[in-house]
Amino acid sequence: MKKPLFADLSLLLVTMIWGMTFVLVQNAIDFLEPFSFNGIRFFIAAVLLFFALILFERKQLKQINIKLIISGVFIGFWLYLGYVTQTIGLLYTTSSKAGFITGLSVVLVPLFSMFLMKQIPGKNAIFGVLTATVGLFLLTLTDISALNIGDGFVFVCAISFAMHIILTGKFSSRYPTLLLTVIQISTVAILSTISSFIFEDWRKSFRIDILLSQDVLIALVITSIFATAIAFFIQTNFQKYTSATRVALIFAMEPVFAAITGYFWAQERLSSSALIGCILIFMGMIFAELPAKKIFILRKNKSIGS
């Protein structure tokens, strides 16, 4: 299997993990506040990754330098900022609007790539981005109301996640994967913990009855191991083999996996427009994987059929 295809499939697995754990996180933050939850989640992940570094890739420590540390902290900062602004935004706006605005990172990534990285996406990628964006609208935007301050915070979240994708692609090919991931995740853990002390009742983080409650414990174990340590290691390791635009399109599948999980786990029902949205997001991702000639053939056959 070619490396780009294997990389995309690996990133799709990461997206599926994030989508499937969305319900778990929602249940957990009913007991443990968001910054506290993320602080503990990313701290556990950082410790696990550090032990993996010591046990299996200790030689990477010899390559540590100030540029690597700054790069890892920079990537981690944008990831942290994405979580922070999304959390604040959700206090003032609806989850459906937040889902759509966050998903706009699929549009922002190719735009930022053009201006910051001088990378111009191909026609198939652009067509896939437009298709996925329409799908995101149909899947998540169930209410159309005036914009508010919460929407502004969530838009900053979309910018942050877009920057995280671009910078991960930029630095992942320069530095050792595991070491870069440890620094990135540690940065998020530290900043989230500081935010918890400033904005939340941090004492809940030390209450055994809350930490050992079923919802919180299961969510922390699964998200820290699979949705954080393993997921961000995979992203950092494989993003060097694919483009930032394709990564953004793959990550646009997260609300699709979240909707599927909600259907089976929480008995949530999807409207017909949401189902069409799921299909369009999936099609957008597939379009980005197809060679440009095949896109042309699909368009030609469609015009003949009409």
Side-chain angles (χ1 to χ4, degrees):
M1 185 181 294
K2 295 180 180 180
K3 282 186 177 180
L5 178 58
F6 186 74
D8 289 350
L9 290 175
S10 300
L11 292 169
L12 184 62
L13 174 63
V14 167
T15 309
M16 182 175 69
I17 293 172
W18 287 338
M20 292 177 68
T21 56
F22 190 81
V23 175
L24 291 176
V25 174
Q26 279 187 317
N27 292 337
I29 60 177
D30 287 337
F31 303 93
L32 188 63
E33 295 182 84
F35 290 139
S36 300
F37 179 84
N38 281 330
I40 297 172
R41 164 187 170 179
F42 278 86
F43 175 76
I44 295 173
V47 170
L48 293 174
L49 289 167
F50 179 74
F51 278 119
L53 179 66
I54 296 299
L55 292 174
F56 304 111
E57 294 290 345
R58 186 176 298 182
K59 60 182 182 293
Q60 290 188 10
L61 291 172
K62 297 179 181 179
Q63 302 180 51
I64 193 167
N65 55 58
I66 189 63
K67 288 184 178 180
L68 190 156
I69 294 173
I70 292 174
S71 299
V73 170
F74 198 37
I75 297 173
F77 166 76
W78 286 107
L79 182 60
Y80 158 79
L81 186 62
Y83 278 106
V84 168
T85 50
Q86 186 180 61
T87 302
I88 296 174
L90 283 169
L91 296 175
Y92 303 100
T93 191
T94 62
S95 58
S96 57
K97 288 173 69 178
F100 174 70
I101 296 171
T102 302
L104 288 179
S105 59
V106 74
V107 179
L108 296 175
V109 166
L111 287 177
F112 291 170
S113 294
M114 284 191 291
F115 290 107
L116 300 177
M117 308 296 292
K118 309 301 180 184
Q119 297 174 351
I120 301 176
K123 293 181 180 179
N124 53 346
I126 294 174
F127 187 67
V129 165
L130 294 175
T131 303
T133 303
V134 174
L136 280 166
F137 179 85
L138 293 175
L139 173 60
T140 60
L141 204 58
T142 55
D143 64 306
I144 301 176
S145 56
L147 295 177
N148 56 48
I149 189 173
D151 300 324
F153 276 109
V154 178
F155 186 65
V156 174
C157 163
I159 294 173
S160 301
F161 285 153
M163 288 297 297
H164 177 262
I165 291 172
I166 291 171
L167 292 174
T168 299
K170 177 180 179 180
F171 294 123
S172 61
S173 58
R174 298 184 183 181
Y175 302 114
T177 298
L178 189 52
L179 184 57
L180 186 64
T181 308
V182 169
I183 297 172
Q184 172 192 177
I185 298 305
S186 299
T187 300
V188 181
I190 293 169
L191 293 176
S192 296
T193 301
I194 293 173
S195 298
S196 173
F197 278 92
I198 296 174
F199 300 110
E200 296 175 345
D201 182 6
W202 55 269
R203 297 173 186 83
K204 289 184 178 181
S205 303
F206 297 94
R207 286 180 54 180
I208 301 299
D209 60 319
I210 292 179
L211 293 176
L212 294 183
S213 63
Q214 183 175 340
D215 287 332
V216 174
L217 186 60
I218 291 175
L220 282 174
V221 171
I222 293 178
T223 58
S224 60
I225 296 174
F226 297 101
T228 307
I230 294 176
F232 285 106
F233 173 77
I234 290 175
Q235 181 187 357
T236 306
N237 186 58
F238 286 107
Q239 196 175 320
K240 68 188 73 162
Y241 301 115
T242 188
S243 70
T245 300
R246 287 167 74 172
V247 173
L249 276 166
I250 292 170
F251 287 173
M253 285 288 292
E254 181 179 352
V256 177
F257 288 121
I260 294 172
T261 304
Y263 176 82
F264 289 103
W265 189 298
Q267 287 75 54
E268 296 177 355
R269 293 295 178 265
L270 291 176
S271 63
S272 57
S273 62
L275 288 172
I276 295 172
C278 290
I279 295 171
L280 287 175
I281 294 172
F282 180 73
M283 288 175 62
M285 184 188 68
I286 295 300
F287 284 144
E289 297 292 333
L290 292 175
K293 289 183 179 179
K294 291 190 177 181
I295 294 288
F296 174 77
I297 292 172
L298 286 173
R299 290 177 178 171
K300 185 177 180 181
N301 289 340
K302 184 178 179 181
S303 64
I304 292 173
S306 60

